[in-house]
Amino acid sequence: MQYSERYNEWLLFDDETKQELLKITDEKELEDRFYKDLEFGTGGLRGIMGAGPNRMNSYTVAKATLGLAVYLLAHFDGEKHVVIAYDSRRNSRVFAECAAQVLAAKGITVHLFREITPTPVLSFAVRYLHCCAGIVITASHNPKEYNGYKVYDEHGCQLVPALANEVIACVNAVTDLRAVPRLDFEVAKSSGLVRFISPEVLDAFLDAVKTQSLYTESHDIKVVYTPLHGTGNVPVRRILADYAVSVVPEQEMPDGDFSTVRSPNPEERDALTLALEQARKEQADLVLGTDPDCDRVGIAVRHDGDYVQLTGNQVGALLADFILRFKKDTLRPGATLVKTIVTNDLGANIGRKCGLEIVETLTGFKYIGDQITKFEQSGDRYFVFGYEESYGYLAGTHARDKDAVVASMLICEMTAYHKANGRTLIDALEALYTEYGYYLDALDSVTLKGKDGASCIRSIMQAFREAGTAAFDGVREILDYSVGIGALPKENVLKYLFEDESWLAIRPSGTEPKLKIYYSVRGADKAVAQERLNVLRAAIHEAIGE
């Protein structure tokens, strides 16, 4: 069916949808909305909000939820329960209630959070409330135009491919979006099919987080914290109750437009601009910023009179070192650190020196969460710490997803510990570099929007595959994860390992119209590593164009 035919169909959906579509005069915009369905992938849905099948709206949310309901009814016996959470983005509450209505129409009981709630709390709540699935409405750190829909299994882990493919088949079988049943929300509440979650769940989550605390000595560190208008404000401040925490007032309250930042992504320095200004005035030791659904945390540290922002790789290695300082004498056989294939090796090498086993997963914290469940089921390993370069960390097994609440607590404890020993986190990082070698990492993102952009990304990946080792000088080995490597699921990732122990990886983003290039260089010092990184970046730019 041509996209113009689908456009005409959607004009009949409802008056609000019709009026939105009639205002669009850009033919490329219409094509992008209608040339395909918003794909329900292994990460669920994520896309720009608006009318059309390639957008996040109540119809696409209802379709996804009906597919999930059909799957749950076929695979779980007895009474079925699903927990739903949502963040501060525009329409998040609307989409959460829409999902609840569809599940209720199929006789599935919904436990719905009353307030905006972090993703890791949703992950915890799935098991705490004995549910067979969970849904969180969020687009994480994406720009304000986006929203998303993530599904969690009965263990509180995002769906991994084998399971997701079964749900995807059920979602794709839904063809008539206007025929998806929805039970009136008030009727669903009065019948008990929609139940609001009590504050007890957040209390239990925070109690579980506190069990991961390692350093409780007295301290005098000052922290500036920004929730970036998202869900972290209440749980992060509660878990840091023993710290002198100053919250950025302009970013404290929920705001789906994220009006004080270009993008609510704590990986980017400009997202922390207001927090850094406040920290300078207050001479704070540490700046913390969590993304809208509070599963990622970015930090900046006061050092030599200024604030240095650390990368996800650096914070992950520091946390691995900190955790192992306190736990290495009590580790049992099978203790394991889990990292992704695009995370550098510093944290893993720290773990190995302390006797940890190391497991690598594909990109995406769902794979780390899935390892926790596998360890529990097999009993031959147990989880100590997991992290990814994109600012996601987890200590403990209370959640099966990255958790900025537990990470914020441990980062503060780590800062206090090192300060008590006369060091900043930068000093601690330099000590690790002295012992393990200097690691320099970078990430480039090439944005290619729309149908033409998706085709361009496919062409670039194909061109690299055809070039093989000739794509770059000094390649020792190419790992093509699309054909499957070891026990890992297949994924569209190319990783080039070089003779000098540096590497780069190329993959399409799973959540945005981007091609991502990851670099990791290990050198004798910063100057040597920077020179090597410049060479790799130049080679990429020559290969794909500026």
Side-chain angles (χ1 to χ4, degrees):
M1 184 184 295
Q2 296 295 318
Y3 75 86
S4 57
E5 295 178 58
R6 304 187 81 189
Y7 167 79
N8 288 327
E9 283 186 356
W10 275 69
L11 290 176
L12 304 176
F13 273 29
D14 64 78
D15 191 59
E16 184 178 347
T17 296
K18 178 180 179 180
Q19 295 307 314
E20 178 183 337
L21 293 175
L22 289 175
K23 291 177 183 178
I24 301 171
T25 58
D26 184 345
E27 199 65 26
K28 278 289 184 184
E29 166 77 4
L30 286 176
E31 180 185 51
D32 188 54
R33 287 177 181 239
F34 288 93
Y35 84 95
K36 68 171 186 175
D37 289 341
L38 185 62
E39 183 179 352
F40 190 100
T42 58
L45 298 172
R46 191 176 297 189
I48 296 170
M49 289 179 278
N54 192 29
R55 290 291 185 268
M56 280 290 297
N57 52 65
S58 291
Y59 292 103
T60 51
V61 167
K63 173 184 175 178
T65 308
L66 179 57
L68 175 62
V70 170
Y71 169 82
L72 296 176
L73 290 168
H75 287 78
F76 290 88
D77 296 326
E79 190 174 343
K80 284 157 278 292
H81 294 251
V82 174
V83 58
I84 301 178
Y86 54 93
D87 70 4
S88 58
R89 289 176 179 273
R90 288 186 290 112
N91 296 317
S92 284
R93 174 70 186 229
V94 173
F95 295 159
E97 291 189 359
C98 171
Q101 288 177 276
V102 174
L103 291 170
K106 301 299 289 184
I108 297 172
T109 302
V110 174
H111 301 266
L112 179 65
F113 281 94
R114 288 184 180 273
E115 308 291 342
I116 59 172
T117 299
T119 289
V121 179
L122 178 281
S123 175
F124 170 84
V126 172
R127 288 184 299 146
Y128 187 81
L129 296 172
H130 306 292
C131 294
C132 56
I135 298 168
V136 60
I137 307 297
T138 179
S140 187
H141 58 291
N142 281 48
K144 66 180 181 181
E145 296 83 9
Y146 285 77
N147 214 322
Y149 176 108
K150 294 195 289 190
V151 178
Y152 289 73
D153 65 17
E154 69 269 32
H155 305 292
C157 181
Q158 281 191 67
L159 302 184
V160 294
L163 183 56
N165 289 338
E166 296 186 49
V167 176
I168 290 167
C170 296
V171 173
N172 290 341
V174 180
T175 57
D176 189 347
L177 273 64
R178 285 183 291 175
V180 175
R182 305 187 203 182
L183 185 62
D184 178 83
F185 192 71
E186 294 302 320
V187 172
K189 286 195 299 181
S190 63
S191 66
L193 283 168
V194 171
R195 307 170 185 177
F196 286 112
I197 293 172
S198 74
E200 169 200 342
V201 174
L202 178 58
D203 293 342
F205 168 83
L206 293 173
D207 287 343
V209 168
K210 289 173 185 174
T211 66
Q212 299 305 310
S213 177
L214 296 171
Y215 183 76
T216 58
E217 303 298 324
S218 60
H219 56 80
D220 61 353
I221 72 165
K222 296 180 180 179
V223 181
V224 169
Y225 168 61
T226 173
L228 294 176
H229 304 292
T231 61
N233 187 41
V234 172
V236 171
R237 291 173 73 175
R238 284 183 60 182
I239 207 66
L240 300 182
D242 294 334
Y243 288 80
V245 177
S246 170
V247 179
V248 177
E250 300 93 330
Q251 297 173 331
E252 178 179 0
M253 301 310 294
D255 175 5
D257 288 326
F258 309 112
S259 52
T260 64
V261 292
R262 179 180 56 83
S263 180
N265 185 355
E267 297 180 48
E268 300 172 5
R269 188 175 180 86
D270 63 357
L272 300 181
T273 297
L274 292 177
L276 289 166
E277 290 174 358
Q278 189 165 316
R280 290 187 181 97
K281 292 176 184 176
E282 300 177 4
Q283 290 294 286
D285 299 280
L286 179 67
V287 170
L288 293 173
T290 55
D291 68 344
D293 67 325
C294 196
D295 61 356
R296 301 172 191 251
V297 57
I299 75 170
V301 180
R302 184 155 62 100
H303 179 76
D304 289 344
D306 200 1
Y307 288 86
V308 181
Q309 187 172 359
L310 299 182
T311 69
N313 277 310
Q314 291 170 332
V315 174
L318 283 166
L319 282 170
D321 174 69
F322 174 67
I323 291 168
L324 290 171
R325 284 173 184 263
F326 287 85
K327 289 190 172 184
K328 63 183 178 181
D329 293 334
T330 60
L331 295 176
R332 307 187 311 275
T336 305
L337 180 148
V338 188
K339 63 180 280 291
T340 70
I341 60 172
V342 296
T343 301
N344 80 15
D345 295 317
L346 179 55
N349 288 337
I350 293 167
R352 288 187 183 100
K353 187 172 183 178
C354 293
L356 290 186
E357 297 184 37
I358 308 299
V359 169
E360 279 201 332
T361 72
L362 294 176
T363 309
F365 218 92
K366 59 180 173 285
Y367 296 112
I368 297 177
D370 186 52
Q371 288 297 317
I372 298 173
T373 300
K374 288 179 177 177
F375 294 167
E376 290 181 348
Q377 291 171 344
S378 69
D380 59 349
R381 292 182 176 178
Y382 70 96
F383 178 80
V384 175
F385 180 58
Y387 72 105
E388 58 185 3
E389 53 75 37
S390 56
Y391 294 63
Y393 321 97
L394 178 65
T397 59
H398 56 283
R400 301 296 159 92
D401 208 339
K402 49 191 175 288
D403 178 9
V405 182
V406 75
S408 294
M409 179 188 76
L410 289 173
I411 288 167
C412 287
E413 292 183 4
M414 178 170 67
T415 303
Y417 166 79
H418 284 297
K419 185 176 182 181
N421 287 278
R423 299 182 295 265
T424 69
L425 292 186
I426 306 304
D427 296 324
L429 185 62
E430 290 297 332
L432 292 178
Y433 288 155
T434 298
E435 183 173 359
Y436 295 94
Y438 190 92
Y439 285 79
L440 183 61
D441 305 278
L443 169 65
D444 288 337
S445 294
V446 181
T447 300
L448 296 161
K449 295 183 178 180
K451 183 178 181 181
D452 292 342
S455 176
C456 186
I457 289 173
R458 287 193 297 271
S459 296
I460 290 171
M461 294 298 295
Q462 182 60 30
F464 276 118
R465 286 192 167 91
E466 291 174 355
T469 57
F472 307 102
D473 294 332
V475 176
R476 173 171 56 84
E477 184 181 3
I478 300 174
L479 303 177
D480 187 349
Y481 292 89
S482 70
V483 298
I485 293 180
L488 297 178
K490 296 178 182 180
E491 189 164 290
N492 191 11
V493 182
L494 285 170
K495 188 172 182 179
Y496 296 83
L497 308 180
F498 295 94
E499 297 289 352
D500 63 359
E501 298 187 25
S502 59
W503 57 259
L504 69 81
I506 308 170
R507 61 180 281 267
S509 170
T511 58
E512 297 175 271
K514 291 180 177 180
L515 187 70
K516 290 192 170 186
I517 304 103
Y518 303 79
Y519 310 86
S520 182
V521 175
R522 181 173 178 267
D525 55 37
K526 185 175 182 179
V528 172
Q530 185 64 59
E531 182 178 357
R532 177 59 174 150
L533 176 61
N534 293 342
V535 169
L536 290 178
R537 273 184 153 155
I540 281 285
H541 292 164
E542 181 180 352
I544 66 174
E546 294 295 331

